[in-house]
Amino acid sequence: MTQKTETNEFQAEVKQMLDIVIHSLYTEHDIFLRELISNSADALEKFRHQQLVEDEVFDPGASLEINITFDDKEHTLTITDSGFGMTKEELKKNLGTIAHSGSKNFLSAISEAAQKDVSLIGQFGVGFYASFMVAKKVRVLSRSYRTDEEGYEWSSDGTGSYTISPASGLHRGTKVVLELKDDCHKYADEYTIKNIIEQYSNFVPFPIKVNGGTVNTVQAVWTRSKNEIKDEEYDEFYKFISNAADDPMLRLHFMADAPLSIRSLLFVPQENFEVLGLGRLDPGVSLYCQKILIEQHSNNILPEWLRFVKGVIDSEDLPLNISRQALQDNMLVTKIRKVITTRFLKFLAETAKKDTETYEKFWKTFGIFLKEGATQDFTHREAIAKLLRFESSSSEPGQLISLAEYVERMNEKQEEIYYINGPSREALENGPYLESFKQHDLEIIYALEPIDDFVFSHLGEFDGKKLVSADRADLKLPETGKEKKEDKADGKDLDKPVAESLLKWMKELLGDRVKEVKSSDRLVDSPAIIVNPDGFMTSSMERIMQVQGKEHSISAKNLEINTSHPLIAGLADMRINDENFAKNVVEQIYDNALIQAGLMVEPRNMVARSYEILERALQK
Ligand code: ADP
């Protein structure tokens, strides 16, 4: 063998690229290792495939792995793989030219980016050349898997040319030796390297050995076919990626090839750590491309309201070197997000159908996130709406219904879906808002969480039926033909002129605090009720905005009065006999109605007043 060393100039585009890599530089130096490991993993993947189609390969017994060693005296770092390897021509072509089609455009884009904003450069695939960020000299010793090829050494300091010379005694594959720059000696260190691998390359589907010990314990489970994977393996993988001690509650292993290539493995944990007081969750899904990490705990790959989901999404359609900034508005990422979110919601719907018990457990733990989604995510609103669960006047305490079930048993005269917000089932059932529903024999949904009214108002409708809060002033219940007349309070309706004068007087008394005082046709047992003349806000929504300290003052409501209630008849009389005391009664009726609407009242004023009223009641 002749020991001839060739010196070759890099292609102009490579020079330009190297100049950018070396001089403008990303700040994230660590990624050079990800690039090299990724190249090795690719070469191993390619070899694995080639071995299947070829009769003879060089070094067939060599195990498929990546070895990393270093010399902290010489300050070198060596990455060796037993992959595909490169011939002399391949070394020249792959490491001396830029393979990108349209490399001119590519380079002008990259240099423009480098001039504008150094961090932008990360989105361009610099691959192998990233080694020159940390190395003053790079040697690549490679031997192709082809039996009739010899080994070669490629070497360069990245400044304009490289040399190639024959190298003997090489095994199949590629060895990249980095002579580290003076300020990069830290990379010749086991701890540092292991950390970088754990961060970026843990799921590479080949063993990565550092000084002989395998570092990546977990394989790329998500890329394997479902029927090959045991439940325990899934669980172990889940525990690894989410640092959990228990098994997941739900699992979705989803793969697609067209139109997008997606391998995803998603888990729902047992607990909602957000309500356990651990603060807002970070996203739990990491984005991979061909088993190489692109973004850990990605903010981009799933909508924010799915932050409780743990797992991995892998798409080989993504460019490996895409930067985090570029992920944000990458069209492909947007498409993947949509596909996976849709699929995940479908999976939840299937679970709800097949395994109600598990779904209800899921709902109780994570339903709040779906509600968040319903208020934020226009795209998936309808799918989310189908997954919502509530108690209702027709369900047993604790039993949950879906909006679809509600619609299915709606009265044929009924066109709207009714709901009412309250702190508990008991409070709602003892309050004034349900009275007319009981009377008309209409089902009403109990919205027991503060966010519920926002959910309903964002949804607007379900299955073509408007969602209507029962505290609306313009509520008009249909005649269902099932009205219960006997429930009506037995008091006689006040004479019209008496009633009109009483209501007018009450309005004067309450002033701007109420918009209108009206006679009610929705009340049965209660003397009064607060309703919302504003068609958008419910009392519950206003209360939340007030509690959250948003500059929100409660808008004036309508006070509806049950003019056939004995208390109101008594009030009409009292107004003539003792107007001052009657005023106290009106204030108390108003406050009581506000309390039932869940709106805040100043309790101290009320206490003094209620003593006065009690005193009067006990006088004889
Ligand atoms: P990319 O990986 O994006 O194609 P690189 O600059 O990292 O760009 O590598 C250029 C080419 O060099 C690769 O496409 C591959 O053909 C070859 N190559 C790099 N590293 C290896 C390796 N460890 N084994 C075999 N081929 C390699």
Side-chain angles (χ1 to χ4, degrees):
M1 191 186 293
T2 51
Q3 293 300 310
K4 206 176 135 245
T5 299
E6 274 180 33
T7 303
N8 294 298
E9 287 283 304
F10 282 119
Q11 180 197 27
E13 284 85 352
V14 174
K15 282 189 201 166
Q16 222 179 315
M17 156 85 91
L18 281 166
D19 192 55
I20 293 164
V21 166
I22 296 168
H23 296 110
S24 49
L25 297 225
Y26 331 44
T27 38
E28 289 178 66
H29 280 184
D30 290 4
I31 63 108
F32 84 91
L33 189 65
R34 180 183 73 182
E35 301 290 338
L36 294 180
I37 289 179
S38 141
N39 281 346
S40 287
D42 283 351
L44 286 160
E45 290 276 22
K46 274 197 230 163
F47 174 75
R48 190 150 62 177
H49 176 74
Q50 211 58 34
Q51 200 176 16
L52 296 173
V53 296
E54 219 130 331
D55 295 337
E56 248 188 291
V57 293
F58 176 62
D59 244 359
S63 56
L64 299 183
E65 59 187 37
I66 299 165
N67 275 287
I68 300 177
T69 54
F70 10 73
D71 185 329
D72 52 8
K73 302 239 161 39
E74 297 293 320
H75 309 297
T76 61
L77 170 66
T78 304
I79 296 116
T80 311
D81 65 67
S82 48
F84 200 74
M86 283 176 274
T87 63
K88 183 180 172 186
E89 286 316 304
E90 283 167 340
L91 279 168
K92 284 163 86 170
K93 183 170 155 279
N94 294 337
L95 309 184
T97 62
I98 291 180
H100 289 268
S101 57
S103 61
K104 285 246 158 55
N105 291 342
F106 170 75
L107 268 162
S108 57
I110 194 172
S111 52
E112 200 178 300
Q115 275 159 20
K116 258 200 238 140
D117 177 359
V118 173
S119 66
L120 276 177
I121 205 176
Q123 69 190 275
F124 297 95
V126 290
F128 167 79
Y129 302 106
S131 354
F132 289 101
M133 295 193 303
V134 298
K136 51 188 174 199
K137 186 175 174 193
V138 179
R139 294 160 59 213
V140 179
L141 299 112
S142 196
R143 179 154 183 186
S144 169
Y145 75 97
R146 295 182 182 88
T147 46
D148 54 355
E149 289 291 339
E150 301 291 332
Y152 285 89
E153 175 173 340
W154 178 103
S155 175
S156 176
D157 60 5
T159 54
S161 63
Y162 61 91
T163 60
I164 288 199
S165 51
S168 58
L170 299 184
H171 293 290
R172 184 196 69 233
T174 303
K175 184 191 290 266
V176 179
V177 185
L178 306 180
E179 288 179 22
L180 296 168
K181 288 182 181 171
D182 294 346
D183 56 353
C184 293
H185 287 176
K186 64 168 180 180
Y187 292 112
D189 172 68
E190 182 166 333
Y191 180 77
T192 311
I193 293 299
K194 278 185 175 168
N195 261 337
I196 303 176
I197 295 172
E198 267 164 30
Q199 202 185 345
Y200 291 114
S201 312
N202 221 337
F203 303 122
V204 166
F206 301 96
I208 304 173
K209 294 183 175 171
V210 176
N211 276 347
T214 306
V215 178
N216 58 333
T217 45
V218 177
Q219 300 287 300
V221 190
W222 65 92
T223 59
R224 289 161 54 195
S225 93
K226 286 185 210 176
N227 49 20
E228 277 177 16
I229 308 170
K230 293 198 213 81
D231 284 349
E232 300 84 79
E233 273 181 279
Y234 278 124
D235 291 347
E236 217 165 281
F237 176 68
Y238 162 75
K239 286 177 194 167
F240 183 85
I241 56 159
S242 56
N243 289 327
D246 48 5
D247 294 339
M249 188 192 296
L250 295 172
R251 171 183 90 214
L252 170 65
H253 191 174
F254 164 62
M255 314 211 196
D257 290 309
L260 291 168
S261 149
I262 296 171
R263 303 280 174 270
S264 74
L265 182 47
L266 304 178
F267 299 95
V268 175
Q270 296 284 353
E271 304 279 358
N272 172 1
F273 290 99
E274 221 160 84
V275 298
L276 295 180
L278 296 179
R280 196 175 173 81
L281 286 172
D282 283 334
V285 174
S286 298
L287 179 61
Y288 282 76
C289 168
Q290 300 168 57
K291 300 157 201 150
I292 306 289
L293 184 66
I294 303 287
E295 191 184 25
Q296 199 166 27
H297 306 309
S298 173
N299 277 310
N300 301 298
I301 198 63
L302 285 182
E304 204 189 344
W305 55 271
L306 281 176
R307 61 188 176 277
F308 63 97
V309 177
K310 309 275 181 201
V312 169
I313 293 170
D314 191 320
S315 175
E316 61 182 38
D317 295 336
L318 281 170
L320 186 60
N321 291 290
I322 188 163
S323 76
R324 295 204 184 126
Q325 297 98 301
L327 281 173
Q328 274 168 24
D329 35 41
N330 181 287
M331 285 298 289
L332 204 61
V333 173
T334 309
K335 277 188 201 157
I336 296 173
R337 178 167 57 229
K338 190 165 174 210
V339 170
I340 302 214
T341 305
T342 305
R343 183 63 187 89
F344 186 72
L345 291 173
K346 186 171 161 228
F347 163 70
L348 290 179
E350 287 161 0
T351 307
K353 210 167 167 191
K354 281 195 302 224
D355 183 356
T356 321
E357 201 180 315
T358 307
Y359 184 72
E360 286 192 358
K361 194 169 137 208
F362 163 81
W363 174 255
K364 284 180 182 142
T365 318
F366 296 104
I368 189 74
F369 290 95
L370 296 193
K371 288 180 181 177
E372 191 184 314
T375 64
Q376 288 175 0
D377 197 324
F378 191 81
T379 317
H380 300 286
R381 219 163 42 147
E382 282 177 25
I384 297 174
K386 293 183 184 146
L387 294 166
L388 302 175
R389 295 292 181 271
F390 300 95
E391 288 194 37
S392 85
S393 57
S394 300
S395 74
E396 295 298 318
Q399 188 202 342
L400 297 171
I401 65 147
S402 65
L403 293 175
E405 282 170 90
Y406 180 103
V407 168
E408 211 174 87
R409 53 180 182 238
M410 265 167 63
N411 185 289
E412 54 185 19
K413 299 273 170 50
Q414 185 185 350
E415 277 164 10
E416 296 173 329
I417 300 173
Y418 304 108
Y419 66 92
I420 182 67
N421 197 290
S424 69
R425 190 179 176 105
E426 294 69 34
L428 286 175
E429 291 185 341
N430 294 319
Y433 295 94
L434 258 56
E435 290 178 6
S436 50
F437 288 87
K438 283 186 203 149
Q439 233 229 329
H440 289 260
D441 192 26
L442 286 167
E443 182 172 2
I444 175 164
I445 288 170
Y446 297 163
L448 300 178
E449 279 183 301
I451 192 179
D452 289 346
D453 284 15
F454 291 95
V455 171
F456 288 130
S457 107
H458 273 85
L459 292 179
E461 57 169 55
F462 178 83
D463 200 6
K465 320 272 183 300
K466 251 175 90 177
L467 287 151
V468 175
S469 172
D471 72 354
R472 282 180 63 140
D474 60 358
L475 182 77
K476 262 260 144 304
L477 296 186
E479 291 298 325
T480 57
K482 293 184 174 177
E483 282 70 20
K484 297 178 195 155
K485 300 284 183 232
E486 67 276 15
D487 279 359
K488 275 262 181 195
D490 26 287
K492 237 174 55 253
D493 236 3
L494 282 182
D495 285 344
K496 215 168 169 212
V498 178
E500 272 172 13
S501 145
L502 180 71
L503 299 178
K504 194 162 163 260
W505 173 73
M506 288 176 85
K507 165 64 183 146
E508 276 164 20
L509 198 64
L510 295 168
D512 289 343
R513 286 178 287 166
V514 290
K515 196 162 176 216
E516 279 185 69
V517 180
K518 289 169 85 173
S519 170
S520 181
D521 53 13
R522 69 169 85 191
L523 289 174
V524 182
D525 294 320
S526 301
I529 189 170
I530 290 284
V531 293
N532 277 290
D534 172 341
F536 178 69
M537 280 279 186
T538 66
S539 298
S540 158
M541 287 159 84
E542 292 209 80
R543 186 180 60 235
I544 292 170
M545 294 181 69
Q546 209 182 34
V547 171
Q548 284 179 343
K550 304 235 166 76
E551 297 230 332
H552 182 82
S553 51
I554 303 279
S555 62
K557 308 290 176 207
N558 286 1
L559 181 66
E560 286 193 5
I561 298 296
N562 180 354
T563 50
S564 52
H565 196 283
L567 177 63
I568 301 302
L571 179 66
D573 292 344
M574 179 67 75
R575 187 188 151 206
I576 316 283
N577 302 330
D578 185 347
E579 187 171 351
N580 275 342
F581 187 72
K583 282 180 182 171
N584 264 345
V585 174
V586 171
E587 291 287 346
Q588 190 65 38
I589 290 174
Y590 174 63
D591 276 358
N592 286 355
L594 280 177
I595 291 171
Q596 285 180 310
L599 294 168
M600 273 182 286
V601 292
E602 170 52 72
R604 268 163 294 209
N605 300 343
M606 215 181 87
V607 172
R609 188 196 308 127
S610 73
Y611 278 142
E612 264 178 61
I613 297 170
L614 285 174
E615 212 179 296
R616 183 70 162 250
L618 296 175
Q619 272 174 15
K620 259 280 137 114

